[in-house]
Amino acid sequence: MTETQRDILSAGFSLTLIALAAFVMQRFFLPLIWAGILCVATWPLYLRLRARIGHGVLAAALLTLLVAAVFIVPALLGVTQAARQAPELANYVVSANTDGIAVPDFVRHLPVIGDSLTEWWQATLSQPHGLAHLFAERQINGFHSASDIIKLAGVGFMHRLVDFGLAFLCLFFFYKDGEVLNRQITNIGSRWFSELRWARYSDKIPTAIRATVNGLVLVGLAEGVLIGVAYWLAGLKSAVLWAAATGILAIIPFGAPLAFVSAAGVLAFGGALPAALGVIAWGTAVLFVADHFVRPGIIGNATRLPFLAVLFGILGGVETLGLVGLFIGPVVMVLFVTLWHEAQTHREDVGSPVATPR
């Protein structure tokens, strides 16, 4: 057997093992990715906690519990509140689908679009099973009782709960063995590429993830708090729950309007049209400042990405990968821009200390 044949056979064997491992672990990719994102984003905090405690395993366990609590406590409050209102909401959906929904008075009096919107409402939502036809692609037509809706929601919740637990289990081991894993990845990367070139790319990833977490998560939660104040002042029922939902949706750029427009709709249905307009105006102002100035500034300044690269990375990541794409998209754009700058250098300088991005 020649050296070329041996190399081909060895490469095929390696690729087969990688493909089999990916096939076996495909169910766990999403929890692993979330654990990796959380680990990278909070790694400096873990190092400080380990230095103070002096025990790596204990520090990993404590920080894992702390990070989990940040997610669990608001989620439990939201689930508790939602569970109290779920039967009432489910029965309303079923009865609205069976009997139709009458046109609200404020819809009839809307300027310009009031007449056409009223006509559309009467032809669809006011008709029996009109709601089912409107959302036929979401299989609402198959629901026959409120228990069916709750059962479907419960299955989805349990599926997410398993992913949630696996993610934090992985996060503990990432903290505990993170330095060893990082050395192993660095050794492999340096062997496949030049050491300097691997360092140039790998150093960008933690910066991009931390900047994205700060720019998306923290800013989104701040939007939820600010818009939640408007909910409370407007007298919206369950204002805290609405604020939590707004903060979660605000993590996605342009996702907050879905929450505060829905909240305004609830207020308008209750006859509080001025309060509904005030919520929309305040939410739009907060959203404009956050999405056009704060987020691009935080992410772009840290990663040195232009505004369009930040925007396309976030929106494109969500479109192709879902929620986790919020964090993967900007990382991909950072690596692409690094490659773009590297391509402007002389080919023989790639991997050299003098081949710095212009």
Side-chain angles (χ1 to χ4, degrees):
M1 181 180 294
T2 64
E3 283 294 325
T4 302
Q5 292 173 330
R6 185 177 290 107
D7 291 340
I8 293 175
L9 183 61
S10 177
F13 176 74
S14 300
L15 291 174
T16 301
L17 284 182
I18 294 173
L20 288 174
F23 177 75
V24 171
M25 295 181 59
Q26 60 180 328
R27 170 64 181 82
F28 310 108
F29 282 160
L30 191 59
L32 280 170
I33 292 172
W34 277 117
I37 291 171
L38 291 173
C39 181
V40 172
T42 58
W43 186 254
L45 181 60
Y46 166 71
L47 293 180
R48 289 196 292 269
L49 184 62
R50 188 182 64 179
R52 174 164 296 188
I53 295 178
H55 196 284
V57 176
L58 181 59
L62 289 176
L63 188 55
T64 301
L65 293 175
L66 178 62
V67 174
V70 171
F71 290 89
I72 291 174
V73 172
L76 286 178
L77 293 176
V79 168
T80 301
Q81 186 69 20
R84 292 174 181 173
Q85 300 180 1
E88 180 182 353
L89 178 60
N91 285 322
Y92 173 77
V93 171
V94 173
S95 62
N97 179 51
T98 303
D99 304 327
I101 307 173
V103 182
D105 290 336
F106 80 92
V107 173
R108 301 178 186 273
H109 297 90
L110 288 175
V112 183
I113 62 172
D115 292 339
S116 58
L117 187 57
T118 298
E119 183 179 351
W120 171 85
W121 193 296
Q122 290 175 340
T124 54
L125 297 181
S126 294
Q127 300 298 319
H129 304 292
L131 192 63
H133 290 297
L134 183 64
F135 295 100
E137 293 181 356
R138 300 183 186 179
Q139 299 180 351
I140 290 183
N141 197 26
F143 294 161
H144 300 291
S145 66
S147 62
D148 293 332
I149 300 176
I150 297 175
K151 185 183 299 183
L152 184 62
V155 171
F157 174 75
M158 291 304 298
H159 181 75
R160 296 293 180 268
L161 189 63
V162 171
D163 286 346
F164 187 84
L166 288 173
F168 284 100
L169 178 64
C170 296
L171 179 62
F172 167 76
F173 286 100
F174 282 174
Y175 284 141
K176 175 178 171 290
D177 304 318
E179 292 177 335
V180 175
L181 182 61
N182 182 60
R183 284 197 300 268
Q184 293 172 347
I185 295 174
T186 300
N187 290 336
I188 295 173
S190 300
R191 182 177 301 175
W192 286 355
F193 308 96
S194 67
E195 184 174 348
L196 289 174
R197 193 182 188 204
W198 173 258
R200 177 182 301 149
Y201 283 88
S202 61
D203 289 344
K204 304 285 186 180
I205 296 176
T207 301
I209 291 178
R210 289 168 193 148
T212 305
V213 169
N214 293 333
L216 294 180
V217 178
L218 298 183
V219 174
L221 295 179
E223 287 183 45
V225 172
L226 291 175
I227 300 176
V229 172
Y231 296 156
W232 177 69
L233 292 176
L236 180 66
K237 187 178 180 181
S238 303
V240 175
L241 182 60
W242 278 100
T246 304
I248 294 173
L249 288 174
I251 294 175
I252 306 172
F254 314 114
L258 180 62
F260 68 73
V261 169
S262 299
V266 172
L267 290 170
F269 271 104
L273 185 57
L277 294 177
V279 166
I280 291 178
W282 175 248
T284 302
V286 171
L287 183 70
F288 180 82
V289 173
D291 284 351
H292 290 82
F293 298 100
V294 180
R295 272 185 172 140
I298 292 176
I299 300 176
N301 291 338
T303 59
R304 298 182 180 179
L305 282 179
F307 172 76
L308 284 180
V310 174
L311 184 63
F312 291 156
I314 293 173
L315 297 181
V318 173
E319 176 69 21
T320 55
L321 300 173
L323 187 60
V324 74
L326 282 171
F327 307 94
I328 296 179
V331 171
V332 172
M333 295 306 297
V334 166
L335 297 180
F336 173 75
V337 170
T338 302
L339 179 64
W340 178 270
H341 288 308
E342 186 182 76
Q344 299 176 53
T345 63
H346 294 292
R347 184 171 182 175
E348 60 270 17
D349 290 336
V350 174
S352 170
V354 299
T356 54
R358 293 192 183 108

